[in-house]
Amino acid sequence: MMEGNGPAIANGLEPDRQAVEAMGRELVSRIADYVGSLPKAPVSRFGGAEDAVARMLLPPPDAPGTFHRLLDDFQEAASYGLDTSSPGYLAYFPAGGLVSSALADALAQVHNRFTTVADLAPALVAMEHGVLRWLAGLFGLPESAGGLVTTGGSAATLTAVVAARHDRLGEDLTGARLYVTEHTHYCVAKSARVAGLPASAVRTVPTRGLRMDPAAAARMIEEDRALGLRPFLLVATGGTTSTGTVDPLPELGELAAREGLWFHVDAAYGGGLALTDRGRARLAGIGRADSVVVDPHKSLFLPYGTGVVLARDPGTLAAAHADSGDYLQDLRTVGGLPDFNHYGVELTREFRGLRLWLPLHLHGVAAFRAALDEKLDLAALAHRELAADPLFEVPWEPDLTVVVFRLRGDDALSRALLERVNAAERVFLSSTVVEGRFFVRINPTSHRTHAAETRAALDLIRARARAVTG
């Protein structure tokens, strides 16, 4: 059935084959058009969204609409704000969202299989578990390691913190202490709070060169124990949010083992770069972790909503999260496969495995490795060119792909530079504060960002810097 400018839905909620095929053709055509437009499209469009916002807030009508017009509405709504799929998006942690992963998600959602329990979809659970085992091996975790695909790094971190709390503290949380730095992602402190720990449980360890100081951490652990407190968790970062810096993982892993603390590595951003020789060298020591968080929607280019928590002993995840009910008595255990409902807080969860499995098998791991090597090269290019310009202060070489810089002088100059660069709508940068000073961040990590886009961004930065400094 066709109506107006596209297929309408006949027979209530179930479209016929003709309508399904028509919707699919139009959707794929729009996806192709959108991806093709990205190199020349503005990366941002702030302001002017009031009418669109008002229309999007309207309740759904009783009468059916048409697919074509509703997609028009979506594309208008998506035209405002920041386009994080653009090759000019160089802020925070770009990803871009692989088309192959998005199409995999569409197929998985239509099949809508329940993969929380292995008995109900064993081969699909194996598909997801296989990718998790591959990731664990990438980090040097043992073959017995396992984990869970989550909605992102925050949910993955909460899962790890709850497992660490249960494994090292049991039911008594009195005097609990965990150790981070000022550069640790705030989701760790948030997870601790959600897990029932007071703010005083989170101890901030001093840094040297932006990295956690192992000697200072050891002193704090010793001092806390002398006060009758209970250190239980040491959190290191494999690529901090502000600067992409990697903590000294070998030394911190040794400290955690010596002191009997759970060793967690937040590699949400940097983990994917372990596919490369340089990334693996910079993440050396991660294999000692009791748990690792990695976000494939960052450095593996997948769509947002794809995080992973890995545990050296997945039994610790189950011990902290597993439970049951009489209504589950019909389910059977499938040997060698996990029941993911035992590993985290979700009892009902979408099948997330295909969004990882299909791109990795379709494009091949070598394609991901080559793209990530390119991103390390682009960061080195940005650092080299900005450091060579006397207008800029570039105090740290990038460990991974984040480069931070500032105009020499007060913070106001660098703030003005960021505003002018972003106002051009050709690239989008972000900022941070490090050691009390304002810095601009550039992070060329999207699979759509290449040397030409990076050089164009650097040209714009230099031109706006000269305008700001007069």
Side-chain angles (χ1 to χ4, degrees):
M1 176 179 177
M2 305 294 287
E3 181 181 298
N5 293 316
I9 303 301
N11 304 321
L13 297 177
E14 191 72 271
D16 59 24
R17 183 183 182 93
Q18 181 184 11
V20 170
E21 291 179 344
M23 287 190 293
R25 284 192 297 270
E26 175 154 15
L27 184 61
V28 171
S29 177
R30 287 189 186 235
I31 289 171
D33 287 345
Y34 168 69
V35 173
S37 73
L38 284 172
K40 295 182 178 179
V43 66
S44 59
R45 182 189 180 193
F46 293 106
E50 293 79 9
D51 289 345
V53 169
R55 290 197 305 277
M56 295 307 112
L57 289 172
L58 294 174
D62 278 349
T66 60
F67 194 62
H68 179 91
R69 291 171 183 168
L70 294 170
L71 292 185
D72 283 346
D73 288 343
F74 164 76
Q75 290 191 298
E76 181 190 1
S79 71
Y80 296 100
L82 179 60
D83 192 344
T84 53
S85 293
S86 168
Y89 176 57
L90 306 172
Y92 306 111
F93 293 118
L98 286 173
V99 170
S100 56
S101 187
L103 295 176
D105 242 11
L107 185 61
Q109 296 291 351
V110 171
H111 278 265
N112 198 32
R113 295 295 297 276
F114 191 80
T115 55
T116 305
V117 178
D119 185 30
L120 302 183
L124 295 181
V125 169
M127 179 182 287
E128 192 164 334
H129 184 50
V131 175
L132 291 167
R133 290 175 56 182
W134 170 75
L135 281 170
L138 183 65
F139 297 129
L141 296 173
E143 289 186 10
S144 57
L148 186 69
V149 184
T150 70
T151 55
S154 295
T157 298
L158 175 60
T159 304
V161 169
V162 169
R165 182 200 68 185
H166 184 272
D167 188 68
R168 301 302 159 102
L169 299 176
E171 299 297 325
D172 180 7
L173 307 187
T174 305
R177 291 295 183 267
L178 62 106
Y179 302 86
V180 300
T181 76
E182 62 179 310
H183 305 297
T184 303
H185 196 282
Y186 77 89
C187 73
V188 175
K190 181 177 180 179
S191 294
R193 184 171 69 250
V194 173
L197 299 171
S200 60
V202 182
R203 299 274 274 133
T204 302
V205 179
T207 59
R208 289 189 302 176
L210 307 182
R211 296 169 174 83
M212 182 182 283
D213 182 346
R219 286 194 300 271
M220 292 176 69
I221 292 168
E222 181 181 5
E223 291 166 359
D224 285 345
R225 281 219 170 96
L227 293 172
L229 302 173
R230 301 166 67 201
F232 79 100
L233 171 61
L234 181 64
V235 179
T237 304
T240 59
T241 301
S242 285
T243 62
T245 304
V246 178
D247 281 331
L249 304 182
E251 294 90 340
L252 294 174
E254 172 63 29
L255 172 62
R258 187 170 68 246
E259 296 292 339
L261 273 63
W262 181 287
F263 183 41
H264 175 72
V265 178
D266 175 5
Y269 150 57
L273 289 152
L275 275 175
T276 70
D277 290 340
R278 284 173 287 178
R280 189 160 51 254
R282 288 164 190 168
L283 292 167
I286 196 171
R288 299 197 66 163
D290 293 292
S291 57
V292 175
V293 163
V294 57
D295 278 352
H297 66 215
K298 292 188 173 78
S299 50
L300 287 178
F301 318 120
L302 301 192
Y304 290 127
T306 315
V308 166
V309 58
L310 299 168
R312 170 178 295 277
D313 176 5
T316 58
L317 298 180
H321 296 94
D323 215 323
S324 189
D326 293 338
Y327 42 82
L328 300 176
Q329 65 183 2
D330 299 330
L331 300 175
R332 299 167 298 176
T333 299
V334 178
L337 294 176
D339 288 334
F340 290 128
N341 65 315
H342 292 332
Y343 284 6
V345 299
E346 292 178 293
L347 300 181
T348 300
R349 58 191 289 275
E350 61 186 323
F351 171 47
R352 302 184 183 115
L354 193 60
R355 70 171 67 167
L356 293 107
W357 183 91
L358 191 144
L360 287 165
H361 285 259
L362 177 66
H363 304 296
V365 172
F368 286 86
R369 183 180 299 111
L372 291 165
D373 265 321
E374 179 193 34
K375 306 317 160 194
L376 291 168
D377 291 340
L378 295 179
L381 167 67
H383 176 267
R384 185 169 61 249
E385 296 212 359
L386 290 168
D389 192 318
L391 281 179
F392 299 109
E393 180 184 350
V394 191
W396 303 287
E397 286 193 34
D399 278 358
L400 299 171
T401 64
V402 177
V403 179
V404 294
F405 63 97
R406 56 183 275 117
L407 282 171
R408 297 186 185 277
D410 61 29
D411 284 355
L413 289 173
S414 294
R415 292 181 189 275
L417 171 62
L418 179 64
E419 290 173 2
R420 293 198 184 193
V421 168
N422 288 347
E425 298 183 350
R426 290 158 51 193
V427 301
F428 192 86
L429 308 179
S430 59
S431 68
T432 189
V433 174
V434 183
E435 297 179 345
R437 296 189 298 164
F438 182 94
F439 283 90
V440 181
R441 296 171 73 260
I442 181 170
N443 183 12
T445 312
S446 170
H447 68 285
R448 297 189 175 110
T449 302
H450 305 292
E453 289 81 10
T454 305
R455 290 189 180 280
L458 293 170
D459 289 343
L460 178 63
I461 290 167
R462 286 188 286 252
R464 293 296 188 267
R466 279 154 179 77
V468 166
T469 56

